[in-house]
Amino acid sequence: MAYETIIVEIEDHVALIKLNRPDALNALNEQLLSELATAVGEAQQNDKVRCVVLTGSEKAFAAGADIKMMSEKSFVDVFTEDLFTADIDAIQRIRKPIIAAVSGYALGGGCELAMMCDFIICSDTAKFGQPEINLGVIAGLGGTQRLTRFVGKSKAMDMNLTGRFMDAEEAERSGLVSRVVPVKKLMEEAMSAAQKIAEKSMISVMAAKESVNRSYETTLREGLLFERRVFHSLFASEDQKEGMAAFTEKRQAQFRDK
Ligand code: CO8
């Protein structure tokens, strides 16, 4: 499908989705989120795709929701339209792994979009923030909820109340991102992480993603039970037999997603 606000490339089982509104620092509008939801849905359906990388430009992953688009809207408009919700729900439904590769600004909805991904790899130039407070509103796509779980209450309050930006070093120290790399190495690092995941059994990859995500939704006791049952169920797969046989025979496993 032809897109106007994103670019999609599929390379070695990885779908690379690049946000592409350079004049607005990839600000999120209805068209971009709708195209992104479609692309993510297509990646889920495409058997050739085993992992997704979501990125922006070197200057901005995304500088937030489009302020110019939102500025004239009333409460009734945003309430009745339920702005962005359907597309955001669709993006979050992907069961294949999705990595955010963040360079430059990831602000407001941009930071929230990165946090919706399974993990974030960022460049040393990345800047994260929830500056909605400066616009007379608050975060609306998880900036008060997911960020708090990533970095704890104190830093989440600081970010949401002052609107200050967090640099890459602080983001790694606080657990918001999994890796920081020099800006020129960002895409190489993200694509290589995606390719590493793409080599695994898709069944155990999807099961691992589901189990980690479950830890956000339930008690420790229920989460541990869920994990154990999923672990047990993977013994019904051929890939479990292959993975363990390959270890014993000192060879590379050949997973077949069965
Ligand atoms: N929306 C629209 N346009 C934007 C945005 C944005 N969020 N960010 C940047 N732009 C545009 C600028 O207006 C400018 O366009 P133009 O040249 O036509 O004026 C162009 O991008 C370049 O931006 P700057 O000239 O400002 O570039 P600088 O390098 O000087 O500054 C900054 C970069 C610091 C990133 C600055 O652009 C900035 O502060 N941007 C706004 C950041 C922000 O406040 N983000 C939060 C937005 S609100 C939000 O995300 C809420 C999400 C929740 C939605 C919930 C729905 C339920």
Side-chain angles (χ1 to χ4, degrees):
M1 173 167 170
Y3 298 113
E4 290 175 355
T5 60
I6 60 172
I7 297 168
V8 183
E9 289 162 15
I10 298 176
E11 190 187 304
D12 292 338
H13 300 295
V14 178
L16 173 63
I17 304 179
K18 192 169 185 291
L19 306 179
N20 187 37
R21 289 190 72 208
D23 296 344
L25 301 185
N26 294 330
L28 312 174
N29 62 11
E30 281 138 319
Q31 183 184 4
L32 184 147
L33 284 174
S34 159
E35 291 187 355
L36 182 56
T38 304
V40 164
E42 283 177 352
Q44 178 63 40
Q45 294 305 321
N46 185 341
D47 289 342
K48 289 199 192 91
V49 174
R50 303 173 69 81
C51 191
V52 178
V53 172
L54 178 61
T55 195
S57 67
E58 201 169 299
K59 177 160 183 188
F61 176 75
D66 192 316
I67 300 167
K68 293 166 190 166
M69 174 273 291
M70 289 186 296
S71 61
E72 293 305 318
K73 286 191 187 286
S74 67
F75 164 75
V76 174
D77 293 334
V78 291
F79 181 72
T80 51
E81 287 166 14
D82 208 4
L83 188 63
F84 299 155
T85 301
D87 291 325
I88 289 290
D89 284 351
I91 293 163
Q92 293 178 111
R93 265 201 303 275
I94 186 164
R95 297 183 67 208
K96 291 177 182 174
I98 177 165
I99 303 171
V102 173
S103 176
Y105 297 109
L107 305 176
C111 184
E112 293 166 311
L113 182 61
M115 289 191 290
M116 284 171 215
C117 296
D118 295 323
F119 62 98
I120 304 172
I121 299 178
C122 79
S123 75
D124 51 6
T125 62
K127 288 197 176 356
F128 299 88
Q130 299 295 158
E132 291 93 336
I133 199 85
N134 298 327
L135 303 169
V137 290
I138 67 165
L141 296 173
T144 66
Q145 302 300 304
R146 281 201 183 89
L147 186 66
T148 309
R149 295 180 187 213
F150 277 101
V151 305
K153 178 183 167 187
S154 190
K155 266 190 200 294
M157 280 287 190
D158 183 355
M159 307 272 294
N160 275 285
L161 295 180
T162 68
R164 81 170 173 89
F165 300 165
M166 189 186 259
D167 67 16
E169 194 268 322
E170 185 181 5
E172 187 182 33
R173 184 160 29 94
S174 314
L176 178 57
V177 307
S178 71
R179 314 179 193 181
V180 180
V181 293
V183 65
K184 295 293 173 213
K185 295 261 180 208
L186 176 65
M187 292 321 296
E188 189 186 320
E189 184 83 7
M191 292 303 279
S192 135
Q195 267 140 18
K196 194 155 261 175
I197 294 168
E199 289 166 9
K200 320 286 184 209
S201 163
M202 188 55 70
I203 308 171
S204 43
V205 164
M206 281 166 47
K209 169 169 173 160
E210 221 171 283
S211 295
V212 173
N213 281 336
R214 184 55 72 102
S215 74
Y216 280 98
E217 313 285 344
T218 191
T219 61
L220 179 61
R221 192 184 172 87
E222 286 300 318
L224 288 169
L225 181 60
F226 180 84
E227 178 193 77
R228 197 177 329 134
R229 288 292 175 253
V230 173
F231 174 81
H232 291 157
S233 70
L234 290 171
F235 282 70
S237 72
E238 290 176 18
D239 283 347
Q240 173 266 332
K241 301 286 173 294
E242 167 61 11
M244 294 192 179
F247 174 81
T248 313
E249 292 158 19
K250 300 189 188 303
R251 61 173 173 82
Q252 193 70 32
Q254 300 294 324
F255 294 119
R256 299 195 309 136
D257 303 336
K258 287 184 189 303

